[in-house]
Amino acid sequence: MASSISTAVPAPQQAAVSTQDELTQKIPTQPLQVAKRLEKFKTTIFTQMSSLAIKHGAINLGQGFPNFDGPDFVKEAAIQAIRDGKNQYARGYGVPDLNSAVAERFKKDTGLVVDPEKEVTVTSGCTEAIAATMLGLINPGDEVILFAPFYDSYEATLSMAGAKIKCITLRPPDFSIPIDELKSVVSKNTRAILMNTPHNPTGKMFTQEELNAIASLCIENDLLVFSDEVYDKLAFEMDHISIASLPGMYERTVTMNSLGKTFSLTGWKIGWAIAPPHLTWGVRQAHSFLTFATSTPMQFAAATALRAPDSYYEELRRDYVAKKNILVEGLNSVGFTVFPSSGTYFVVVDHTPFGLENDVAFCEYLIKEVGVVAIPTSVFYLNPEEGKNLVRFTFCKDEETLKSAVERMKQKLSKK
Amino acid sequence: MAAVQWKLKQAADDKFCNDNAAEGRRMAEMEKLSLVAKALTPSPIQQLSYLAQRYNAINLAEGFPDFPAPPHIKNAAVSAINSDFNQYRHVQGICDHVARKMKEMHGLDVDPLTDIVICCGQSEAFAATMFAIVDQGDEVIIFDPSYETYETCIRLAGGVPVHVALEPPNWTLNLDKLKKSFTVKTKAIVLNSPHNPTGKVFTKDELEIIAGACQTWNILAVTDEVYEHITFDKESHISLASLPEMQKRTIVTSSLSKTFSVTGWRIGWAIAPAWIASAVRNIHIRITDSAPAPFQEAALTALSSPPAYFDSLRSDYESKRDCAVNMLAEVGFKLQFKPKGSFFVFAPLPENCTLSDVEFVEELIKQAGVVAVPGCGFFHTTLCEENSSPAALSYQRRYIRFAFCKSEDTLAAASRKLSKLVDAYAILVSRVRAIRLGRLVSKNSCFKVNSLISCYVAHLAILLLAQKSEHSFK
């Protein structure tokens, strides 16, 4: 993968006189080049780290997808759908049964009753739900508030929509929301707040108090909220609260989620956005031109998945808590400062005890000398300096893998 | 699917209807949408879709097959799911196959490591390409009629679509019109061949003209080649990228969907020189990140299909085309232009029919139980040429698109239904001729028989009369 994009091709030679002389006009032409919006796009760190990891045979605790597979009952539902011939275009905004299943699940989780036909849109993963929400609801020049560190596609997608980013940094040890700072960045140009809870990369979960404060701010200033809740079922230390369920909030919130993390099927790309009809309208317009429709057999399977009994979710949580304990105990014993993570399958640690100058250097060292992959968090900040002490580990791996990684670190990583 | 089309209107001014509180609230809520989203409205074509459902009409509107996908490909997908290919993946093998095909079909050397981006269907490949190359205010030329999505992708990316009309009845490319469409702001041209909705396959000469224009004006070309394997009468699909000097400025988009009858799997790609492909990839990663993993795996099987697969795809679709063309001819359509590719027939309404395309399809649904797509959704009234008067553009309401990507049974059933309509008309015309003019009266109204006979629409009204007087017809 190219690590940089050349933005211009050398200006071509004057075109040879063609048979269509009429076409030749004395008008200056631009050099061929990609769109200016690409200037803000960095290569993703994940691919870089993954290539390095493979080269060194490192255990990958960097990329956020499981090395175990999804449940059989969901896979079988997809297979059945393929065999039943459900292989052509689905309705653009979702197979009706999936829209219903999403609405049912949302009601169970939040108590909110939504219309599956008018308020649910199925997308190719939560990534596309975010892209469609931005493009459908944000105008060039609108201000959008982000919390750093943030999932790295937010910044790029916002720039695709031409938004101006206002960033609030969450800081260790508990990454709590600085409410006063948040209030201070709201202006008359602010259109929306983009939030992610449970939060990637820190594992922080927004508390009731924090959500109340954000809600008041939004209502006072007539702001929208785009809430990325893909890890809502991986909530360990406290209950997940959807901001849409707070008074006065549903009408101004787009709640986004997906199948991938909850059901360990990250490659299926089934996501959704739940929003009141007037906001759903915008999301659907953009979605219909970004991907047009979402993969059909997987949608049928997703409907089955979402109707899983509570026992599935309880077991999921139990398994992940066990994995988390292995990793966190291991990281603590090795000498990292491990920050508390209430949800997701990530933990963020301070690597400075090991004497490397910044997070990228530490991660490279960790791969080459120790044989373990972590992700440098500086890519999740607008200002990379703010993340240089932190790296992110994931525990969405089987227990053997986690134990091996911990072993390697115990043996080879020493404090300075 | 194909029934949903959005017509763009001028972006609304911010006018609030103060008197009407409900309207005001609605407008206030509309304010929350982006300007582009606000400008999109549903078209009458969506209503036809509902009507078709109500009448249980045979669907010759939708551009996807009603026959099963090839078993060997479905099995590959099932096997992939069972083998745990279910996490985020990039299946490099797809790029290897696509590069090989480009070499076989078009003699192009494509680097599978850098020049190909796997996307969620050609839809996403096209959208990602537009975001990768279009800046605010850039103009992009599209040939008219066109698949509606191109225009909106361009607008979403901040660009300005410029429509250049292909000329009926054979949808020929007019060099003058093309040259007039270029300005200093032109960034790219979109080429869909084989073409939806007309079924045209651009000829070598036409491609050379387009290529010449691209070079003279130093612009990019973005092609949609999803019907690349569906061409008839020994016609070959030629990729614009294969013309001299074009590969370096062309982004080719295509997919599995139409070739392998898996429109619901969302596996497509963009092929471009590395510096452009890298930009498309960067955008794609932010739109969806990756295409569905098990179907990427199944794509390897699909793309390794032997030549016999593609041969029988072509010959099967050619018989379906012939069936559709015959069926329409029997009903009174005069098809001057037969499709050379894709799976659509773009049929002009009979000259003596005074109905618009939408009205005609409505009657077709109600009276014959068959649905097709009115052509107006593919045309644009703001064309880049001098004469855009309503009279000059009247042809835009005269075309119906019929899809023949349907099983033999479906096509046969459609044929039967349509010919019943014709038979009934023939019987009635002979009956009406035997009745003294002026004595043909229904319960509620009086028809002028002369105009009835001469007007195709009234053929259907006669049918209604026949039903009432004959008690049974079907």
Side-chain angles (χ1 to χ4, degrees), chain A residues 9 23 27 30 35-37 42 69 75 87-89 128 136 139 222 261 264 266-269 291 293 296, chain B residues 32 34-35 84 86-88 131-132 134-135 157 179 184 218 258 261 263-266 286-288 293:
Chain A
V9 158
L23 285 171
I27 293 180
Q30 306 172 51
K36 298 189 178 57
R37 61 176 63 83
K42 305 167 255 195
D69 213 42
K75 286 160 52 172
N87 300 305
Q88 306 309 327
Y89 289 125
E128 200 218 331
N139 281 312
D222 195 25
K261 316 296 198 267
S264 309
T266 58
W268 281 21
K269 309 306 295 163
T291 60
T296 311
Chain B
K32 294 276 184 278
S34 72
L35 285 169
D84 299 350
N86 297 308
Q87 308 310 323
Y88 294 128
F131 277 101
V134 171
D135 273 315
K179 93 180 165 178
V184 284
N218 195 24
K258 312 300 197 283
S261 307
T263 58
W265 283 16
R266 322 313 293 137
R286 272 82 185 193
I287 298 181
T288 63

Side-chain angles (χ1 to χ4, degrees), chain B residues 126-166:
Chain B
F126 188 88
T129 300
M130 285 305 140
F131 277 101
I133 65 173
V134 171
D135 273 315
Q136 193 70 32
D138 281 350
E139 291 174 5
V140 180
I141 298 170
I142 313 175
F143 293 109
D144 195 67
S146 69
Y147 179 54
E148 190 72 11
T149 314
Y150 305 146
E151 169 180 13
T152 316
C153 282
I154 293 164
R155 286 189 194 278
L156 271 180
V160 178
V162 172
H163 300 280
V164 172
L166 298 172

Side-chain angles (χ1 to χ4, degrees), chain B residues 388-407:
Chain B
S388 295
S389 66
L393 298 182
S394 62
Y395 70 89
Q396 294 186 346
R397 304 307 310 268
R398 305 285 306 165
Y399 282 87
I400 314 282
R401 188 193 79 173
F402 290 87
F404 53 84
C405 45
K406 307 293 167 188
S407 70

Side-chain angles (χ1 to χ4, degrees), chain B residues 45-58:
Chain B
I45 289 159
Q46 169 117 69
Q47 310 311 317
L48 289 176
S49 184
Y50 298 141
L51 195 65
Q53 270 180 335
R54 264 186 30 224
Y55 279 79
N56 212 12
I58 296 182

Side-chain angles (χ1 to χ4, degrees), chain B residues 140-446:
Chain B
V140 180
I141 298 170
I142 313 175
F143 293 109
D144 195 67
S146 69
Y147 179 54
E148 190 72 11
T149 314
Y150 305 146
E151 169 180 13
T152 316
C153 282
I154 293 164
R155 286 189 194 278
L156 271 180
V160 178
V162 172
H163 300 280
V164 172
L166 298 172
E167 294 177 338
N170 295 325
W171 311 109
T172 41
L173 173 59
N174 179 310
L175 174 58
D176 277 335
K177 283 182 182 163
L178 179 61
K179 93 180 165 178
K180 284 194 173 103
S181 67
F182 285 86
T183 72
V184 284
K185 294 201 181 140
T186 309
K187 187 68 177 281
I189 187 168
V190 173
L191 178 66
N192 170 218
S193 181
H195 187 244
N196 171 12
T198 65
K200 171 189 174 63
V201 172
F202 282 69
T203 64
K204 188 87 190 278
D205 290 341
E206 289 169 325
L207 294 176
E208 279 171 358
I209 291 174
I210 296 167
C214 289
Q215 285 167 73
T216 307
W217 288 80
N218 195 24
I219 64 165
L220 298 167
V222 181
T223 68
D224 173 358
E225 301 183 22
V226 290
Y227 302 102
E228 56 188 316
H229 294 287
I230 304 175
T231 54
F232 315 123
D233 306 329
K234 307 266 189 273
E235 192 92 23
S236 267
H237 162 67
I238 306 169
S239 181
L240 183 64
S242 66
L243 269 64
E245 304 297 309
M246 284 307 289
Q247 185 174 9
K248 64 187 189 206
R249 59 177 70 252
T250 304
I251 301 107
V252 174
T253 66
S254 191
S255 76
L256 287 188
S257 295
K258 312 300 197 283
T259 308
F260 298 100
S261 307
V262 286
T263 58
W265 283 16
R266 322 313 293 137
I267 301 290
W269 50 83
I271 308 166
W275 64 280
I276 303 177
S278 149
V280 175
R281 190 178 297 112
N282 268 325
I283 302 277
H284 151 70
I285 287 174
R286 272 82 185 193
I287 298 181
T288 63
D289 186 68
S290 56
F295 298 135
Q296 285 195 55
E297 204 57 34
L300 297 176
T301 302
L303 292 168
S304 323
S305 297
Y309 173 82
F310 298 94
D311 291 337
S312 70
L313 179 82
R314 202 168 288 119
S315 69
D316 285 350
Y317 269 122
E318 191 160 333
S319 351
K320 292 182 203 290
R321 183 225 28 199
D322 293 341
C323 174
V325 163
N326 290 337
M327 168 175 77
L328 293 174
E330 276 170 23
V331 182
F333 285 94
K334 297 233 176 333
L335 292 172
Q336 254 178 298
F337 178 80
K338 259 174 40 169
K340 295 285 193 191
S342 85
F343 40 53
F344 302 112
V345 180
F346 207 44
L349 288 171
E351 270 169 25
N352 55 9
C353 179
T354 57
L355 290 178
S356 73
D357 52 355
V358 175
E359 290 163 344
F360 183 87
V361 172
E362 208 177 308
E363 286 308 306
L364 200 62
I365 295 170
K366 289 181 186 160
Q367 307 303 336
V370 171
V371 59
V373 181
C376 59
F378 301 99
F379 288 109
H380 299 82
T381 50
T382 48
L383 291 170
C384 184
E385 62 176 284
E386 311 101 23
N387 192 359
S388 295
S389 66
L393 298 182
S394 62
Y395 70 89
Q396 294 186 346
R397 304 307 310 268
R398 305 285 306 165
Y399 282 87
I400 314 282
R401 188 193 79 173
F402 290 87
F404 53 84
C405 45
K406 307 293 167 188
S407 70
E408 283 171 20
D409 286 347
T410 305
L411 292 174
S415 195
R416 273 195 304 273
K417 288 207 171 182
L418 287 172
S419 59
K420 265 193 188 168
L421 197 63
V422 174
D423 289 344
Y425 162 59
I427 292 169
L428 288 159
V429 165
S430 61
R431 283 182 66 240
V432 163
R433 280 189 185 133
I435 295 169
R436 266 186 52 185
L437 291 176
R439 280 230 247 131
L440 195 64
V441 172
S442 80
K443 267 190 244 168
N444 303 314
S445 58
C446 182

